[in-house]
Amino acid sequence: MKRTSVAGMAALAASGVAHAQFGLQSPESPIAQQIYDLHSLIFGICVVVFIAVFSVMFYSIFYHRKSLGAKPASFHENTTVEVIWTIVPFVILVGMAVPATRTVLAMKDTSDAEMTIKVTGYQWKWGYDYLKGDGEGISFYSNLATPYAQIHNEAPKGPEYLLEVDNPLVVPAGKKIRVLTTANDVIHSFWVGALGFKQDAIPGFVRDTWFYAKNSGIYRGQCVELCGKDHGFMPIVIHVMEDGDYKQWVAAKKKEIEASRIDPNKTYTLTELKAQGEKVYQGNCAACHQASGMGVPGAFPALSGSKVATGPVADQIKLVLNGKQGTAMASFKQLSDIEIAAVVTYERNSWANQTGDVVQAADVKALRGGTVALK
């Protein structure tokens, strides 16, 4: 039995080593390659210094120990020694600082970008707005797409567990992409290691970075700023396409956006609002309140049969607009008036809630400005 256990542990260790990955992600952009080379250089210098220092230390301990009768040297204020231990570290630091400075300057050079995309961090998803270049005018949200059955261990986990989204950021290969980052609520951080960028997204500030993907493919990253309870649930997926494929995607995406555009001034029926509201709910609310509206007991309240979804309409709209301090309920002001109207209508007419209430965009618009109170 003991021999079998040892053999099993050895096989497990061998399997772990075989699947282990060391170091940074494989660089797929010029700036990522520069960062990778800098990392390798600094690591190499550290290894050389480590070996040199510890070799001298262990040699001294072993061959000049007291049991061999060694006597400590008695020199003081030795000019030669002081010059050496000042110059050598200085040279090492300069050798590290020069390439590091060159890399940092390259990372901050966002000039001559061919495209500009604004990235907004939300609790807990990303918003993408194409501001300049091909695709200008395209906007969408990117949410975690991993099924909640996998997260709650009710289904086998997929190969891209917690690293898959419903709408990836799509860009062309071989073009310099400038990225403007900001946030709607708390500090997030936009990072994709293979493309060599990491930039904090801070509420009230706009910061920029850039990347250039050499080859088409799918690149994955994550928010790397602890931004709340679902911090681990906001992955980043960038789909890099060849130029021709990217132009086709832009045309298709614009057509899709135009087809789904909703007139905020129109008066919609209950059926129309419920259909639109279900999409908004799945993308923004189901993560906490569940698709069934039953929430997660002890963590997130149920909406089915709740006073929130059956009480005064105005209170529910305000809750969606402003969130609730001290709870996980975040503000959803970033949603349009018609999206909020649709999702509130959906919640008030789904599951055990059959209020018959119909909320229009004008109702939300009035409350967003704080001038009208609905009954």
Side-chain angles (χ1 to χ4, degrees):
M1 177 65 77
K2 185 176 180 181
R3 184 174 298 173
T4 303
S5 300
V6 171
M9 292 176 65
L12 182 63
S15 174
V17 171
H19 291 85
Q21 294 183 347
F22 303 99
L24 304 180
Q25 296 180 9
S26 299
E28 294 292 340
S29 73
I31 194 66
Q33 184 66 56
Q34 205 166 332
I35 294 170
Y36 189 93
D37 293 343
L38 176 65
H39 163 77
S40 300
L41 173 65
I42 301 294
F43 182 75
I45 292 174
C46 291
V47 169
V48 170
V49 170
F50 176 87
I51 292 174
V53 170
F54 277 82
S55 295
V56 171
M57 187 178 75
F58 286 125
Y59 173 82
S60 301
I61 292 173
F62 187 78
Y63 289 104
H64 298 277
R65 60 186 188 274
K66 185 177 180 181
S67 60
L68 294 180
K71 300 292 183 183
S74 58
F75 58 85
H76 185 62
E77 296 183 354
N78 188 302
T79 303
T80 302
V81 172
E82 291 186 356
V83 168
I84 290 174
W85 73 33
T86 301
I87 291 179
V88 171
F90 177 77
V91 171
I92 293 173
L93 288 175
V94 170
M96 298 166 75
V98 170
T101 302
R102 189 184 301 128
T103 300
V104 170
L105 291 176
M107 291 170 65
K108 297 300 180 184
D109 181 12
T110 58
S111 61
D112 302 324
E114 297 172 84
M115 285 181 58
T116 300
I117 299 174
K118 186 179 79 170
V119 176
T120 306
Y122 299 94
Q123 286 181 316
W124 290 271
K125 57 180 173 286
W126 296 99
Y128 300 127
D129 298 284
Y130 290 63
L131 302 182
K132 179 185 172 187
D134 291 338
E136 182 175 332
I138 292 177
S139 298
F140 56 88
Y141 296 109
S142 180
N143 296 279
L144 175 72
T146 297
Y148 274 80
Q150 292 185 18
I151 296 173
H152 296 297
N153 297 318
E154 296 168 351
K157 300 188 188 311
E160 306 298 344
Y161 177 68
L162 296 184
L163 290 175
E164 51 199 332
V165 298
D166 54 358
N167 290 308
L169 178 64
V170 180
V171 298
K175 287 190 176 182
K176 186 173 183 177
I177 314 293
R178 185 186 182 205
V179 177
L180 306 178
T181 62
T182 187
N184 181 66
D185 32 51
V186 299
I187 298 176
H188 302 274
S189 193
F190 195 66
W191 168 79
V192 176
L195 297 180
F197 66 82
K198 173 185 175 295
Q199 183 67 65
D200 284 354
I202 305 172
F205 291 85
V206 176
R207 310 181 72 191
D208 64 350
T209 184
W210 67 278
F211 69 92
Y212 174 105
K214 294 183 292 187
N215 303 306
S216 59
I218 297 177
Y219 303 93
R220 301 178 190 277
Q222 289 176 305
C223 174
V224 285
E225 185 73 39
L226 187 58
C227 60
K229 74 167 189 62
D230 279 353
H231 156 69
F233 293 169
M234 47 187 305
I236 299 157
V237 179
I238 298 182
H239 192 173
V240 180
M241 296 179 172
E242 296 299 333
D243 197 52
D245 294 335
Y246 175 72
K247 284 183 166 55
Q248 290 183 14
W249 176 84
V250 167
K253 194 67 178 178
K254 286 188 173 180
K255 189 178 293 184
E256 175 189 323
I257 292 174
E258 188 61 34
S260 62
R261 197 178 298 281
I262 295 175
D263 182 359
N265 299 314
K266 177 182 172 182
T267 299
Y268 290 90
T269 65
L270 174 61
T271 302
E272 292 172 326
L273 286 167
K274 277 191 67 177
Q276 174 66 15
E278 184 173 10
K279 297 177 184 176
V280 179
Y281 182 86
Q282 294 297 336
N284 297 275
C285 314
C288 296
H289 299 293
Q290 306 298 294
S292 62
M294 297 306 294
V296 178
F300 305 107
L303 292 178
S304 179
S306 76
K307 293 181 179 177
V308 171
T310 57
V313 175
D315 290 349
Q316 187 177 0
I317 295 175
K318 289 177 181 176
L319 184 63
V320 175
L321 279 171
N322 305 316
K324 186 176 182 180
Q325 288 191 345
T327 71
M329 181 63 193
S331 166
F332 285 86
K333 280 183 178 176
Q334 72 275 11
L335 297 179
S336 67
D337 293 342
I338 187 61
E339 287 176 320
I340 293 178
V343 75
V344 171
T345 300
Y346 173 75
E347 291 171 353
R348 299 181 74 83
N349 294 280
S350 299
W351 317 300
N353 311 327
Q354 299 299 327
T355 64
D357 293 330
V358 178
V359 181
Q360 300 294 340
D363 301 329
V364 179
K365 184 178 180 180
L367 284 173
R368 192 188 289 272
T371 57
V372 177
L374 297 181
K375 301 296 183 184

Coordinates of all heavy atoms in Angstrom, one line a residue, residues 236-271:
I236 N -11.0 39.3 -19.7 CA -10.9 40.1 -21.0 C -10.5 39.1 -22.1 O -9.6 38.3 -21.9 CB -9.7 41.1 -20.8 CG1 -10.1 42.0 -19.6 CG2 -9.5 41.9 -22.1 CD1 -8.8 42.7 -19.0
V237 N -11.2 39.2 -23.2 CA -10.9 38.4 -24.4 C -10.8 39.3 -25.5 O -11.7 40.1 -25.8 CB -12.0 37.3 -24.6 CG1 -11.6 36.5 -25.9 CG2 -12.2 36.4 -23.5
I238 N -9.6 39.3 -26.2 CA -9.4 40.1 -27.4 C -9.2 39.2 -28.6 O -8.3 38.3 -28.6 CB -8.1 41.0 -27.2 CG1 -8.3 41.9 -26.1 CG2 -7.8 41.7 -28.5 CD1 -7.2 42.9 -25.8
H239 N -10.1 39.3 -29.6 CA -10.1 38.5 -30.8 C -9.4 39.4 -31.9 O -9.9 40.4 -32.3 CB -11.5 38.2 -31.2 CG -11.5 37.1 -32.3 ND1 -12.7 36.5 -32.7 CD2 -10.5 36.5 -33.0 CE1 -12.4 35.6 -33.6 NE2 -11.1 35.6 -33.8
V240 N -8.2 39.0 -32.2 CA -7.4 39.7 -33.3 C -7.6 39.0 -34.6 O -7.4 37.8 -34.7 CB -5.9 39.7 -32.9 CG1 -5.1 40.4 -34.0 CG2 -5.6 40.3 -31.6
M241 N -8.1 39.8 -35.6 CA -8.5 39.3 -36.9 C -7.6 39.9 -38.0 O -7.0 41.0 -37.8 CB -9.9 39.6 -37.2 CG -10.9 39.0 -36.3 SD -12.6 39.5 -36.9 CE -13.6 38.4 -35.8
E242 N -7.4 39.1 -39.1 CA -6.8 39.7 -40.2 C -7.6 40.9 -40.7 O -8.9 40.9 -40.5 CB -6.6 38.7 -41.3 CG -5.7 37.5 -40.9 CD -4.2 38.0 -40.6 OE1 -3.8 39.0 -41.2 OE2 -3.6 37.4 -39.8
D243 N -7.0 41.8 -41.5 CA -7.7 43.0 -41.8 C -9.0 42.8 -42.5 O -10.1 43.4 -42.3 CB -6.8 43.9 -42.6 CG -7.3 45.3 -42.7 OD1 -7.5 45.9 -41.6 OD2 -7.5 45.9 -43.8
G244 N -9.0 41.9 -43.5 CA -10.2 41.6 -44.3 C -11.4 41.0 -43.4 O -12.5 41.5 -43.5
D245 N -11.0 40.1 -42.5 CA -12.0 39.5 -41.6 C -12.5 40.6 -40.6 O -13.7 40.6 -40.3 CB -11.4 38.4 -40.8 CG -11.0 37.2 -41.7 OD1 -11.6 37.1 -42.7 OD2 -10.1 36.4 -41.3
Y246 N -11.6 41.5 -40.2 CA -12.0 42.5 -39.3 C -13.1 43.5 -39.9 O -14.1 43.9 -39.3 CB -10.8 43.3 -38.8 CG -11.2 44.5 -37.9 CD1 -11.7 44.3 -36.6 CD2 -11.1 45.8 -38.4 CE1 -12.0 45.4 -35.8 CE2 -11.5 46.9 -37.6 CZ -11.9 46.7 -36.3 OH -12.3 47.7 -35.5
K247 N -12.8 43.8 -41.2 CA -13.8 44.7 -41.9 C -15.1 44.1 -42.0 O -16.2 44.7 -41.9 CB -13.2 45.1 -43.3 CG -12.1 46.2 -43.2 CD -11.6 46.5 -44.6 CE -10.8 47.8 -44.6 NZ -9.7 47.8 -43.7
Q248 N -15.1 42.8 -42.3 CA -16.4 42.0 -42.3 C -17.1 42.1 -41.0 O -18.3 42.2 -40.9 CB -16.2 40.6 -42.8 CG -15.8 40.5 -44.2 CD -15.6 39.0 -44.6 OE1 -16.1 38.1 -44.0 NE2 -15.0 38.8 -45.8
W249 N -16.3 41.9 -39.9 CA -16.9 41.9 -38.5 C -17.5 43.3 -38.3 O -18.6 43.4 -37.7 CB -15.8 41.6 -37.5 CG -16.3 41.7 -36.1 CD1 -17.0 40.8 -35.4 CD2 -16.3 42.9 -35.2 NE1 -17.3 41.2 -34.2 CE2 -16.9 42.5 -34.0 CE3 -15.7 44.1 -35.4 CZ2 -17.0 43.4 -33.0 CZ3 -15.8 45.0 -34.3 CH2 -16.4 44.7 -33.1
V250 N -16.8 44.4 -38.7 CA -17.3 45.7 -38.4 C -18.6 45.9 -39.1 O -19.6 46.4 -38.5 CB -16.2 46.8 -38.9 CG1 -16.9 48.2 -39.0 CG2 -15.0 46.8 -38.0
A251 N -18.7 45.5 -40.4 CA -19.9 45.7 -41.2 C -21.1 44.9 -40.5 O -22.2 45.4 -40.3 CB -19.7 45.2 -42.6
A252 N -20.8 43.7 -40.1 CA -21.8 42.8 -39.5 C -22.3 43.4 -38.1 O -23.4 43.4 -37.8 CB -21.3 41.4 -39.3
K253 N -21.3 43.9 -37.3 CA -21.6 44.4 -36.0 C -22.4 45.7 -36.1 O -23.4 45.9 -35.3 CB -20.3 44.7 -35.3 CG -20.5 45.0 -33.8 CD -20.9 43.7 -33.1 CE -21.1 44.0 -31.6 NZ -21.5 42.8 -30.9
K254 N -22.1 46.6 -37.1 CA -22.9 47.8 -37.3 C -24.3 47.5 -37.7 O -25.3 48.1 -37.2 CB -22.2 48.7 -38.3 CG -20.9 49.4 -37.7 CD -20.4 50.4 -38.7 CE -19.3 51.2 -38.0 NZ -18.7 52.2 -38.9
K255 N -24.4 46.5 -38.5 CA -25.8 46.1 -39.0 C -26.6 45.5 -37.8 O -27.8 45.8 -37.6 CB -25.6 45.0 -40.1 CG -27.0 44.7 -40.8 CD -26.7 43.7 -41.9 CE -25.9 44.3 -43.0 NZ -25.8 43.3 -44.2
E256 N -25.9 44.7 -37.0 CA -26.5 44.2 -35.8 C -27.0 45.2 -34.8 O -28.1 45.2 -34.3 CB -25.6 43.2 -35.1 CG -26.1 42.6 -33.8 CD -25.0 41.9 -33.0 OE1 -24.1 41.2 -33.7 OE2 -24.9 42.0 -31.8
I257 N -26.1 46.2 -34.6 CA -26.5 47.3 -33.7 C -27.6 48.1 -34.2 O -28.6 48.5 -33.5 CB -25.2 48.2 -33.5 CG1 -24.2 47.5 -32.7 CG2 -25.6 49.5 -32.7 CD1 -22.9 48.2 -32.5
E258 N -27.6 48.4 -35.5 CA -28.7 49.2 -36.1 C -30.0 48.4 -36.0 O -31.1 49.0 -35.8 CB -28.4 49.5 -37.6 CG -29.3 50.4 -38.3 CD -29.4 51.8 -37.6 OE1 -28.3 52.2 -37.1 OE2 -30.4 52.4 -37.6
A259 N -30.0 47.1 -36.2 CA -31.2 46.3 -36.2 C -31.8 46.3 -34.8 O -33.0 46.2 -34.6 CB -30.9 44.9 -36.7
S260 N -30.9 46.3 -33.8 CA -31.4 46.2 -32.4 C -31.6 47.6 -31.8 O -32.0 47.7 -30.6 CB -30.4 45.5 -31.5 OG -29.1 46.2 -31.5
R261 N -31.4 48.7 -32.6 CA -31.6 50.0 -32.0 C -33.0 50.2 -31.6 O -34.0 49.9 -32.4 CB -31.1 51.1 -33.0 CG -30.9 52.4 -32.4 CD -30.4 53.4 -33.4 NE -29.1 53.0 -34.0 CZ -27.9 53.2 -33.4 NH1 -27.9 53.7 -32.2 NH2 -26.8 52.8 -34.0
I262 N -33.2 50.8 -30.5 CA -34.6 51.0 -30.0 C -34.9 52.5 -29.9 O -34.0 53.3 -29.4 CB -34.8 50.3 -28.6 CG1 -34.7 48.8 -28.8 CG2 -36.1 50.7 -28.0 CD1 -34.7 48.1 -27.5
D263 N -36.0 52.9 -30.3 CA -36.4 54.3 -30.3 C -36.8 54.7 -28.8 O -37.8 54.2 -28.3 CB -37.6 54.6 -31.2 CG -38.0 56.1 -31.2 OD1 -37.3 56.8 -30.5 OD2 -38.9 56.4 -32.0
P264 N -36.0 55.5 -28.1 CA -36.3 55.8 -26.7 C -37.6 56.6 -26.6 O -38.1 56.7 -25.4 CB -35.1 56.6 -26.3 CG -34.5 57.2 -27.5 CD -34.8 56.2 -28.6
N265 N -38.1 57.2 -27.6 CA -39.3 58.1 -27.5 C -40.6 57.3 -27.8 O -41.6 57.9 -27.7 CB -39.1 59.3 -28.5 CG -37.9 60.1 -28.2 OD1 -37.7 60.5 -27.0 ND2 -37.2 60.5 -29.2
K266 N -40.4 56.1 -28.3 CA -41.6 55.3 -28.6 C -42.2 54.7 -27.3 O -41.5 54.4 -26.4 CB -41.2 54.2 -29.6 CG -42.3 53.2 -29.9 CD -41.7 52.1 -30.8 CE -42.8 51.0 -31.0 NZ -42.3 49.9 -31.9
T267 N -43.5 54.5 -27.4 CA -44.2 53.9 -26.3 C -44.3 52.4 -26.6 O -44.9 52.0 -27.6 CB -45.6 54.5 -26.1 OG1 -45.5 55.8 -25.7 CG2 -46.3 53.7 -25.0
Y268 N -43.7 51.5 -25.8 CA -43.6 50.1 -26.1 C -44.6 49.3 -25.4 O -45.1 49.8 -24.3 CB -42.2 49.6 -25.8 CG -41.1 50.1 -26.7 CD1 -40.4 51.2 -26.5 CD2 -40.8 49.4 -27.9 CE1 -39.5 51.7 -27.3 CE2 -39.9 49.8 -28.8 CZ -39.2 51.0 -28.5 OH -38.2 51.5 -29.4
T269 N -45.0 48.2 -25.9 CA -45.9 47.3 -25.2 C -45.2 46.5 -24.2 O -44.0 46.4 -24.2 CB -46.6 46.4 -26.3 OG1 -45.6 45.5 -26.8 CG2 -47.2 47.2 -27.4
L270 N -46.0 45.9 -23.3 CA -45.5 45.0 -22.3 C -44.7 43.9 -22.9 O -43.6 43.5 -22.5 CB -46.6 44.4 -21.5 CG -46.2 43.3 -20.4 CD1 -45.3 43.9 -19.4 CD2 -47.5 42.8 -19.7
T271 N -45.1 43.3 -24.0 CA -44.5 42.2 -24.7 C -43.1 42.6 -25.2 O -42.1 41.9 -25.0 CB -45.3 41.6 -25.8 OG1 -46.6 41.2 -25.3 CG2 -44.6 40.4 -26.5

